[in-house]
Amino acid sequence: MRRFNFKKSVLATSIAVVMTSGVAPLAVAADETTASDENIEVIAVRGIRASTKASINTKRFSDSQVDGISAEDIGKLPDVTIADSLQRITGVQVERTAGESGPVQIRGLPQVDTMMNGEIFLSATTIDSSTTDLGDLPSQLFSGVDVYKTKNASNVGAGMAGTIDLKTRRPFDMDTGFTFAGGAEATQGSISEETDPTFHGLVSYNDDKFGVLLSAVTSQATLATDYNGFNDTSENGGLGWTGSSVTDGVNHITPHGFTAFNKQEERDRDALQFSLQGDLGEGFELTFDYFYTNQERFNARRGFNHNSRWQGYQNYADATSFTGSGYTHLETGEEWRAVNGYQMRPYRMQSFTQVNINEEKSENFNLELNYDNGGALTGQVRVTHATAKATMRHAYGEGDILSIDEGTLITGPGGLTPAEYCNNGEEIVGDQGGCYGNYSTGIQDSQFLITHSSAGAYPHFGGFDQMVNGGKGMMSVADYMADKDSYHIGAFSSEGNTDDRGELDTFSTAWNYAFDDLSFISSVDFGLRYMERSVDHDQFTYTSDFGGGCDIAQWKAVDQAYGADCVGVEGTGEMVNGEWVPYTLLPPTGIDEVTTASFQTNFGGVTGIPGVWSIDPSNFRDPRAFHERVFGNVARTENGGSTYDVKLKEMSYFLQANIDWEGLTGNFGVKVVNTDLYVKQNLVGPNLPHSGLGPDIGDVVTERSYTDYLPRVNLNYGITEDLIVRGAYSKEMMPLDLSEWGEGKVVGNAYNAECDCMRVVNGQLRGNPELDPLRSDNYSLSAEWYMAEASMLSAGLFLIEIESFTTPGITMVDEPDSDGVKRGPWPFTTTLQGTGGEVKGFELAGRVAFGDYLDIAILNNFGFDANYTYTDSSREDKDVYGNDLPFIGMSEDTYNAVLWYEQEEFSARIAWNSRSPRLITPGSAGTGGQSLYQDDYSQLDVNVTYNLNENFSFYLNGSNITEEIQETYVEFPEQKAFQNAYEARYTLGARVIF
């Protein structure tokens, strides 16, 4: 069990404020015909019904189409995370990372801008992104979240289908006098079985002229996931290195390999929010906000893998079980079938351990001066500044079970090793006593086969009972896997490390002038805003010098030998039969020789794997120190293709007229955005030896400017006091993720014995500064019936005509191999300009509190929320049948249902969320055009709260209590790709309020 490592400073702060009194009253308009300041009902938000009522009022009295969630108490949003709560909103979908909700889509599109208290902020987990991963923000610091599905001209957020606004508490929102609140939680996961603590607290003082508020959260979490399926290096899995084979004349996909591993992420997070407000008199009010997050994550994967070792797909695997699904390729006429069973020749069979260490810190400052002296003119001047820093360090080590000495498919014989490793009866072949060394006593048999079947609920691996030859004679494959002497280190690497730094500065001023004598236009809004955003992204690898500096390597591996520059250098090779032969960079190394290792048998629900010896992840907690200790030196070597600088400057202006005339309200206006874009990329030279590193050989700078005119209209008509019809139109523009403009070329290589060189196998052209930003025309129509104060029904239609977007694609590049010879062209993934897309659909929602209609004991304490969203899309990219592919991340159907019960002492809530399949990755030529999808996914969460009195409460949360599995497939549900088995997480907590 991991030792708790509490941050003492934040912990002390949290404990100091684990007390509170009344909850912040939320002022919302209650008059059913107008939202004027003269008719405001103050709702003290405490409990499920009050939270529902506040959210309904947010929607009802907005001048655009808005949905919101409100905290049920201080430090208590309805769900464990912000994203979990947002997924209950009609039209919102979430994706899960490490089992927790994170990235958010609105109406099927992931391009969602996120604000904090009405202005863009900077998150450390998305420094170079235009969106925010809400998984890194503690829910306890927020009083609510609003989702704007349509926007007026004064809204500063971008976003193709909507904008999210996170709302923190401020002292003038709190009761007069002192307020103290706090809580403590203990959470346990069903896979990790770790007990994780969280402490949060708030202290506030408000005397109506001056106010100060401080809230803080400190938490530790161990998030566990069991993964199995195609080899892939992305966070949640993907299509990976997938190609095709032919079995009995039938084409089918074949992955590079199959794997099963356990993933655990240890996360320590501290967050702090400070707010200061002062009434300066004469209508002036000053507000200062500071928001701080600091997060450390240790993400470790360890498990079993076998693969083709880049020796092609056709010779690696044959299909043994076709499903009933298939198709005829539209261009070639070839027959393709779906597969759920393979028989494979393991060129490489190994255990592996991979670690990513992330440190993420952000600071957001806000200073605003508001003016409202009761006259016609009101307004605000606002300045924000934000900085963020994120680092990632990667480490990888593999334990090969197959001997590379002789008899196997891997390479055999093994490379030349110095005399000091020739002590096991090897034949001495070199003039200095060198030999082709024994790397291990592992399997030395090229005839055995491994099977894999995904036909059941969990995959099954087979073939481990076969008798094989090896260094310890005839034994079963399983016996060799259980013998630690069978393993040798195949490779060590620390690549793809990143340092990100970002800054965000804004200045804005916005004003409203109200008219007394105009019957149609009640007021006008006008203002301007300047934003400057920059990101400095560095990617690098920890390399080591070999042979006194004659060679350098990223991959310290048994299949890498000293290069031509080392000929004749002592210690790098010797004469064999009159010719100089280089040594391997990594000599024979047992799996526990420079690391600690343990026997692993837990692979989740996967069956058939007898177990493997794998490196303990703790060896890699400091990757740089590890490589320096093992190889004697280490250097930071930049990867030119993935290092860039991007600066984005926007000057925007808006003018908006507000309408209030005989039941018709709303606004119409225009926002003008002038954008200056600066992109500095690196020119990339040929890859360094033993690496995928393209060195920086110069810079190329691109500067662009463009202007967008964004008209926006929101019209709301009250047919009756309780029935509102809304219509909206807006033109939207959103900048791309800065990486889509900035990144360069990255080349993938693999060793090839024929040329004794690193051959190009694929690559990436990630960035293109000439890509246009995202642009769309959005239309929306909805009707809302407010049946009672905590009950409502709504229905809506939407259409998003997308003028420009980006989409992944393939281009062929004739990149030279390490010996300078071009043997291509090779497929490089890239980002292409997409045009002419469309998203359309409808939303249905209902919220009913039985107490609004019934006066029956028990029943009037119940309520339910339910909604459904249908989303359809079309674009140029097609599936295997010639039909339009959906946009990436989009599900056609999304369902939510929440049943709640609440009385004074006790409340309970059960929430169900479900979404239909979503596209993860479009297909390619290698897959016959077959695309990767996530299958249907549903999750059930529960909450039970007991209020001892008005000051103390206890609660139990259960997240994903049915332990759902994220199942994915390639084109056909029977052709499974991979699974993420997410754990259930249970939280026991206590909350106190004074």
Side-chain angles (χ1 to χ4, degrees), residues 55 139 202 274 300 317 394 445-446 455 520 627 638 652-653 751 775-776 790 812 839 886 911 932 966:
S55 298
S139 63
L202 175 146
F274 175 78
H394 170 86
D445 192 326
S446 63
F520 181 69
H627 281 259
E638 298 293 324
S652 60
Y653 315 85
Y751 177 75
R775 295 188 173 105
S776 68
M812 302 302 291
V839 178
L932 176 67
Q966 180 199 45

Side-chain angles (χ1 to χ4, degrees), residues 690-702:
H690 319 297
S691 78
L693 293 170
D696 176 7
I697 60 173
D699 296 330
V700 57
V701 173
T702 303

Side-chain angles (χ1 to χ4, degrees), residues 358-615:
N358 296 79
E359 296 182 8
E360 297 141 345
K361 176 182 177 181
S362 67
E363 295 180 285
N364 285 262
F365 301 85
N366 171 69
L367 181 65
E368 60 187 72
L369 180 65
N370 297 289
Y371 174 75
D372 184 355
N373 202 26
L377 182 68
T378 59
Q380 178 191 84
V381 177
R382 185 172 189 176
V383 177
T384 69
H385 172 70
T387 61
K389 178 181 178 182
T391 65
M392 191 280 287
R393 299 296 183 263
H394 170 86
Y396 177 80
E398 56 193 31
D400 287 352
I401 305 167
L402 299 180
S403 171
I404 68 168
D405 306 320
E406 57 183 310
T408 61
L409 295 171
I410 184 166
T411 52
L416 187 68
T417 61
E420 61 186 287
Y421 299 100
C422 302
N423 302 313
N424 301 298
E426 300 91 345
E427 179 185 0
I428 304 303
V429 297
D431 65 348
Q432 299 178 33
C435 66
Y436 293 105
N438 282 324
Y439 280 75
S440 71
T441 58
I443 299 171
Q444 300 171 9
D445 192 326
S446 63
Q447 301 304 309
F448 76 101
L449 300 170
I450 298 296
T451 63
H452 182 275
S453 173
S454 59
Y458 293 96
H460 176 77
F461 288 80
F464 302 106
D465 57 349
Q466 298 170 81
M467 301 300 291
V468 292
N469 287 313
K472 294 194 174 181
M474 290 294 295
M475 294 196 307
S476 69
V477 175
D479 287 338
Y480 269 103
M481 294 171 68
D483 189 337
K484 188 164 54 174
D485 293 339
S486 299
Y487 297 75
H488 65 273
I489 296 296
F492 287 124
S493 180
S494 176
E495 57 194 270
N497 304 307
T498 58
D499 283 338
D500 285 321
R501 298 178 185 274
E503 288 194 16
L504 175 66
D505 292 285
T506 71
F507 168 82
S508 61
T509 181
W511 297 85
N512 174 271
Y513 187 85
F515 300 107
D516 292 331
D517 53 353
L518 294 182
S519 58
F520 181 69
I521 297 177
S522 60
S523 65
V524 293
D525 288 296
F526 54 94
L528 61 85
R529 176 176 178 267
Y530 175 78
M531 182 191 76
E532 183 171 332
R533 182 178 180 184
S534 64
V535 61
D536 180 355
H537 176 84
D538 293 335
Q539 188 187 97
F540 61 94
T541 287
Y542 287 139
T543 60
S544 295
D545 287 343
F546 291 82
C550 68
D551 210 346
I552 182 176
Q554 162 186 325
W555 302 315
K556 295 92 169 181
V558 296
D559 58 4
Q560 303 292 307
Y562 284 93
D565 291 341
C566 295
V567 174
V569 176
E570 184 179 356
T572 65
E574 57 187 280
M575 302 299 292
V576 178
N577 297 325
E579 293 185 8
W580 190 85
V581 178
Y583 295 142
T584 57
L585 294 182
L586 186 65
T589 307
I591 194 171
D592 61 347
E593 187 172 334
V594 294
T595 61
T596 60
S598 54
F599 195 65
Q600 179 181 350
T601 58
N602 182 9
F603 302 96
V606 175
T607 57
I609 305 174
V612 291
W613 284 88
S614 59
I615 298 170

Side-chain angles (χ1 to χ4, degrees), residues 137 447 938:
L137 301 176
Q447 301 304 309
S938 300

Side-chain angles (χ1 to χ4, degrees), residues 219-447:
S219 65
Q220 292 183 334
T222 303
L223 307 171
T225 304
D226 289 323
Y227 176 95
N228 65 76
F230 290 5
N231 286 350
D232 191 84
T233 58
S234 55
E235 174 60 33
N236 283 344
L239 201 52
W241 308 283
T242 303
S244 62
S245 299
V246 179
T247 301
D248 297 330
V250 177
N251 293 269
H252 57 85
I253 63 168
T254 299
H256 167 259
F258 286 96
T259 187
F261 61 80
N262 177 263
K263 177 174 67 176
Q264 290 204 11
E265 179 170 293
E266 300 172 6
R267 186 187 66 196
D268 296 338
R269 181 172 62 194
D270 300 325
L272 177 73
Q273 185 237 336
F274 175 78
S275 184
L276 186 70
Q277 288 184 293
D279 184 347
L280 306 182
E282 303 297 328
F284 290 98
E285 180 183 287
L286 186 68
T287 298
F288 171 77
D289 298 303
Y290 172 68
F291 193 87
Y292 165 88
T293 62
N294 186 23
Q295 182 170 259
E296 298 177 3
R297 296 184 288 133
F298 182 79
N299 185 302
R301 310 175 188 193
R302 63 189 303 193
F304 169 75
N305 171 269
H306 69 78
N307 59 71
S308 67
R309 199 178 171 273
W310 310 113
Q311 301 302 307
Y313 297 99
Q314 184 61 53
N315 295 326
Y316 169 54
D318 294 319
T320 58
S321 176
F322 289 104
T323 73
S325 300
Y327 65 99
T328 300
H329 197 283
L330 294 176
E331 296 181 1
T332 65
E334 297 171 331
E335 179 188 3
W336 284 74
R337 294 278 300 278
V339 183
N340 60 11
Y342 292 90
Q343 180 174 267
M344 292 154 290
R345 305 169 185 86
Y347 283 82
R348 173 173 283 171
M349 191 166 71
Q350 61 188 193
S351 67
F352 76 95
T353 299
Q354 176 180 305
V355 164
N356 289 336
I357 304 163
N358 296 79
E359 296 182 8
E360 297 141 345
K361 176 182 177 181
S362 67
E363 295 180 285
N364 285 262
F365 301 85
N366 171 69
L367 181 65
E368 60 187 72
L369 180 65
N370 297 289
Y371 174 75
D372 184 355
N373 202 26
L377 182 68
T378 59
Q380 178 191 84
V381 177
R382 185 172 189 176
V383 177
T384 69
H385 172 70
T387 61
K389 178 181 178 182
T391 65
M392 191 280 287
R393 299 296 183 263
H394 170 86
Y396 177 80
E398 56 193 31
D400 287 352
I401 305 167
L402 299 180
S403 171
I404 68 168
D405 306 320
E406 57 183 310
T408 61
L409 295 171
I410 184 166
T411 52
L416 187 68
T417 61
E420 61 186 287
Y421 299 100
C422 302
N423 302 313
N424 301 298
E426 300 91 345
E427 179 185 0
I428 304 303
V429 297
D431 65 348
Q432 299 178 33
C435 66
Y436 293 105
N438 282 324
Y439 280 75
S440 71
T441 58
I443 299 171
Q444 300 171 9
D445 192 326
S446 63
Q447 301 304 309

